[in-house]
Amino acid sequence: MSDSPPPAKRQRPDDQEIVRSEVWYDDGSVVLQASATQFRVHWSVLSSHSSFFRDMQGLSQPQDEPKVEGCPIVELPDSAQDVETVLKALYNPFLFAKKSLPLSVIASHIRLGRKYDMKEFLQTMVQRLADEHPQTLEEYGILIDLLAVVRENNLFALLPSAYLRVMLSSTQYKPIF
């Protein structure tokens, strides 16, 4: 990424200022624009993860199309936050190694992974969601065992807390233990 400060903001025809994201590579070959935010990235990186961008890269561009520093601009109808989240992960796969990811990050990858045919990202996030959000009571394991121990031993004062933990674990996307 560039260490140089971004140039002055430009105006869009609808008077919305265009800003550069921190995802801006000086040697990038394409500028993605989501809302009023631009991201300069590499076609090779996009196309290695997405058949959508791979196919788009092969399309010829009219000569009179606007460019940024010689790079074609691809306008995306997605939120700038979703695009930035996914691009950061494309350039830093260690982000997936984090033990816990916010639901907004998982959702961004699922939305754009499905839309732009980013199979590996989509599969990774769907699996992560499934791992953190079991589909059957048996998969909750220790929580069900906790309820059984509390009930079997007449520890009724602990029942509300134990039930609350089971309920919360079914609505949160991070492990409770």
Side-chain angles (χ1 to χ4, degrees):
M1 285 194 254
S2 171
D3 289 332
S4 61
K9 297 175 184 175
R10 297 181 326 177
Q11 293 290 324
R12 291 186 69 178
D14 60 0
D15 291 335
Q16 189 176 18
E17 289 184 77
I18 295 178
V19 296
R20 287 187 178 178
S21 165
E22 64 182 62
V23 180
W24 189 270
Y25 292 90
D26 289 334
D27 64 340
S29 53
V30 63
V31 172
L32 302 181
Q33 183 170 319
S35 300
T37 304
Q38 292 183 334
F39 310 85
R40 187 171 178 182
V41 293
H42 303 89
W43 272 120
S44 59
V45 173
L46 293 174
S47 64
S48 69
H49 293 281
S50 165
S51 65
F52 175 87
F53 287 109
R54 188 171 35 257
D55 294 344
M56 180 183 276
Q57 181 183 11
L59 299 175
S60 62
Q61 297 290 319
Q63 294 294 354
D64 60 343
E65 285 293 311
K67 294 185 176 190
V68 173
E69 298 177 11
C71 298
I73 301 170
V74 176
E75 291 198 35
L76 303 175
D78 310 293
S79 78
Q81 183 62 48
D82 279 356
V83 172
E84 185 166 327
T85 296
V86 170
L87 290 175
K88 283 181 175 180
L90 279 175
Y91 283 91
N92 183 1
F94 293 111
L95 293 176
F96 285 127
K98 291 184 176 179
K99 184 174 179 162
S100 179
L101 291 174
L103 179 58
S104 62
V105 169
I106 293 171
S108 292
H109 286 284
I110 290 174
R111 269 192 298 275
L112 297 190
R114 185 179 309 282
K115 184 174 186 178
Y116 296 114
D117 194 31
M118 301 172 105
K119 288 182 172 75
E120 291 173 357
F121 277 59
L122 178 61
Q123 290 171 349
T124 299
M125 289 296 117
V126 168
Q127 185 60 52
R128 191 163 189 156
L129 201 60
D131 290 345
E132 294 178 10
H133 190 69
Q135 298 176 4
T136 65
L137 287 177
E138 291 78 25
E139 292 176 283
Y140 281 99
I142 194 164
L143 293 174
I144 302 303
D145 292 342
L146 171 66
L147 282 174
V149 168
V150 167
R151 291 180 71 207
E152 289 170 4
N153 293 290
N154 298 324
L155 302 171
F156 299 119
L158 298 177
L159 271 177
S161 174
Y163 278 116
L164 178 63
R165 292 185 81 157
V166 170
M167 288 178 11
L168 289 176
S169 71
S170 68
T171 59
Q172 293 178 342
Y173 294 97
K174 58 182 180 180
I176 61 171
F177 289 109

